[in-house]
């Protein structure tokens, strides 16, 4: 039995979040997810040809959604070859509890989303003084 199957067999209420991601099979746009040395998470999404105004970034209920309706191609241009995809897309990422989106920036066709962990006070380590 896989770990995911074990999880599903012992969980309740995860249906909606799992449905959100089961329909997200596309590899477009290409992206990387990693942690920086200072412990912050980062998602880089390659969006050549898109501008800030072409992209929507929404964070709700632990799901980060990034989408675009596509970019209109100029009508007065006849492409011999057009290898830069500027199509519509929607991609989603699960963001762990106690994490928030710190910033989103776009430079040179790369959308960068920075994620930071923000533990509530009751979850932070408590140093106990010894009397």
């Amino acid at each position: 039995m896989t770990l995911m199957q074990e999880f599903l067999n012992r969980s309740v209420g995860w249906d909606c979040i799992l449905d959100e991601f089961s329909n997200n099979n596309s590899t477009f746009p290409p992206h990387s997810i990693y942690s920086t040395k200072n412990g912050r998470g980062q998602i880089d999404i390659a969006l050549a040809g898109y501008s800030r105004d072409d992209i929507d970034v929404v964070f709700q209920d632990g799901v980060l959604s990034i989408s675009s309706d596509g970019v209109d191609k100029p009508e007065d241009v006849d492409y011999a070859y057009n290898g830069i995809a500027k199509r519509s897309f929607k991609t989603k990422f699960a963001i762990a509890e106690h994490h928030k989106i710190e910033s989103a920036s776009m430079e040179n066709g790369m959308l960068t989303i920075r994620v930071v962990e923000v533990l509530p006070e009751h979850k932070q380590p408590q140093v106990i003084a010894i009397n």
Side-chain angles (χ1 to χ4, degrees), residues 20-103:
E20 285 283 331
F21 294 101
S22 65
N23 297 325
N24 192 23
N25 299 333
S26 174
T27 58
F28 183 83
H31 64 276
S32 296
I33 302 172
Y34 57 94
S35 294
T36 59
K37 292 184 184 205
N38 63 6
R40 287 173 152 64
Q42 187 161 312
I43 303 169
D44 290 336
I45 303 171
L47 294 170
Y50 294 84
S51 72
R52 287 175 180 86
D53 296 333
D54 299 324
I55 310 296
D56 292 315
V57 178
V58 177
F59 180 55
Q60 181 179 11
D61 295 331
V63 177
L64 174 66
S65 299
I66 298 151
S67 62
S68 175
D69 290 333
V71 178
D72 293 331
K73 294 183 172 122
E75 293 180 17
D76 60 344
V77 174
D78 290 323
Y79 288 97
Y81 174 76
N82 184 10
I84 300 175
K86 296 179 186 176
R87 62 184 180 256
S88 65
F89 69 88
K90 184 168 190 172
T91 188
K92 298 177 182 181
F93 300 90
I95 306 298
E97 185 179 21
H98 306 305
H99 286 70
K100 73 174 193 168
I101 305 303
E102 183 178 54
S103 66

Side-chain angles (χ1 to χ4, degrees), residues 52 57 101-106 111-114:
R52 287 175 180 86
V57 178
I101 305 303
E102 183 178 54
S103 66
S105 61
M106 188 151 173
L111 175 64
T112 299
I113 308 288
R114 290 189 177 85

